Amino acid sequence: MSGPSAVRAAKNFLDLDPVELPAELEELRREVRAFLHDEIESGRVTPHVDQWLAGWDPAFSRRLGERGWLGMTYPRQYGGSDAGALARFVVTEELLAAGAPVAAHWIADRQSGQALLNFGTEEQREAFLPRIARGEVFFAIGMSEPDTGSDLASVRTRGTRVDGGWQIRGTKIWTSGAHHADAMIALIRTEAPTENRHAGLTQVIVELPDPTVEVRGVRLLTGEHHFNEVVFKDTFVPDARVLGKPGAGWSQVTSELGNERSGPERILSTLPLLVEAMRWIAESGTQVSPARLGELYARLWALRQMSLAVAGRLQLGEDPAVSASIVKDLGTQFEGSLIDAVREMVDVEPDYASAHALPRMLAEAVLHSPGFTLRGGTNEILRGIVTKAVGSA
Ligand SMILES: Cc1cc2nc3c(=O)[nH]c(=O)nc-3n(C[C@H](O)[C@H](O)[C@H](O)COP(=O)(O)OP(=O)(O)OC[C@H]3O[C@@H](n4cnc5c(N)ncnc54)[C@H](O)[C@@H]3O)c2cc1C
């Protein structure tokens, strides 16, 4: 592609005007900071790296729910605060930057609730959304399977029609939080595969625990248990727990990915490490290159502006799939290079068991980092999305 269409496509992607946050959101930011300061000072929260995957703390989630900081994009009739995507952005970026334990509610608040709002029945919305907004019900994502990650259309978990619902058999993998979650939205095949690989897929809500669902832990490099292999052994899902239309799972799941990929968690997983390194540098009087630090902050700030612009698009009800892919690709690379930069700047050995914050966080960051560019769609897949969009512009 060359000439005007290339220019038009490029403009499309780069048309991420900096978003000015209204004054009331800066007030909200101050409130969240004060709350987090209190949580950390009182010892209720200890900052860690990558807490949106690893920090499972239902009591903390409930405290956020009490303040109206969950379900911020949901209508009030379902227990949300209807504050919008930008307000949610402010709250989530403060939580992530502080290394607060947000994993329990993260998936439900970010995408399962949104999927219920978009495709759920009235009964499903009423059953789940108010409890998600109170931090009482947590969800897992059942997309990936042992032979199906990037090529999601090839899922093999099978739903067979039975009286009053579907009987499902198959295996999901890398299912974050399934061992604690109250429900999982699983993508299953409910019709035999045809030439149209995207047809015949359905999303179902599987409530957990269930005696026919075996949840086996898969350990991270650190030994932590965060994700799982989940085996459905003829699990019964009633019709009332089918999400959206049977057979329409592909378009539903791909619209969900826009929410999954667009947030500040794709930039800020390792930011608590930088905060801790800056404290250590200041206290130890270590000399660091201002240019190196400046480069890091410039990248962070540019990415943050791009992520904020994606939140602005969500607020306007637009689908930010392509710009979210760009931000996630660049943002997850930044999360990794932040670790390299810290290792260059401070003479500290990573030590996962250390009682000191910096060596511990360095080890957490190094050992969690292989997942950054994989989870939620690999960077190669994201670049494929961008390339296709350029090609069709
Ligand atoms: C920390 C973490 C948490 C996760 N949590 C969940 C979860 O809660 N629920 C869930 O369903 N899944 C989850 N996943 C799974 C994640 O979505 C998959 O790992 C990811 O989609 C990649 O799939 P895969 O692992 O099967 O790799 P594969 O698809 O086998 O890919 C292997 C390699 O080949 C490359 N590749 C594949 N296809 C192409 C292509 N067409 N073009 C170019 N390169 C290609 C990939 O980029 C990758 O480098 C999680 C993963 C991680 C790391």
Side-chain angles (χ1 to χ4, degrees), residues 167-170 212 232-236:
Q167 192 169 55
I168 66 175
R169 174 166 275 267
T212 65
F232 301 115
K233 298 174 176 175
D234 291 332
T235 303
F236 176 69

Side-chain angles (χ1 to χ4, degrees), residues 53 141-144 148-150 173-176 227 371 374-378 380-381:
L53 175 82
I141 305 168
M143 294 190 198
S144 308
T148 298
S150 304
I173 199 160
W174 317 126
T175 324
S176 302
F227 49 31
L374 298 175
R375 56 189 176 190
T378 70
E380 290 77 18
I381 293 301

Side-chain angles (χ1 to χ4, degrees), residues 46 55-56 65 80 98 116 126 175 201 243 291 328 337 339 364 367:
T46 303
W56 193 282
L116 286 160
E126 282 168 11
T175 324
L201 296 168
L243 179 63
K328 182 176 178 300
S337 43
I339 306 172
E364 289 168 357
L367 294 172

Side-chain angles (χ1 to χ4, degrees), residues 326-376:
I326 298 172
V327 179
K328 182 176 178 300
D329 180 6
L330 298 174
T332 53
Q333 290 180 62
F334 172 78
E335 292 179 329
S337 43
L338 187 154
I339 306 172
D340 298 338
V342 168
R343 295 194 76 173
E344 282 168 30
M345 288 189 281
V346 300
D347 186 18
V348 167
E349 282 296 311
D351 179 358
Y352 188 66
S354 175
H356 299 287
L358 188 56
R360 170 179 56 75
M361 282 195 190
L362 199 48
E364 289 168 357
V366 169
L367 294 172
H368 278 232
S369 63
F372 297 164
T373 57
L374 298 175
R375 56 189 176 190

Side-chain angles (χ1 to χ4, degrees), residues 274-286:
L274 185 62
V275 174
E276 194 51 44
M278 289 301 109
R279 185 174 299 132
W280 191 90
I281 286 166
E283 285 170 6
S284 63
T286 303

Side-chain angles (χ1 to χ4, degrees), residues 92-105:
T92 50
E93 80 168 342
E94 289 300 325
L95 291 167
L96 294 161
V102 292
H105 65 264

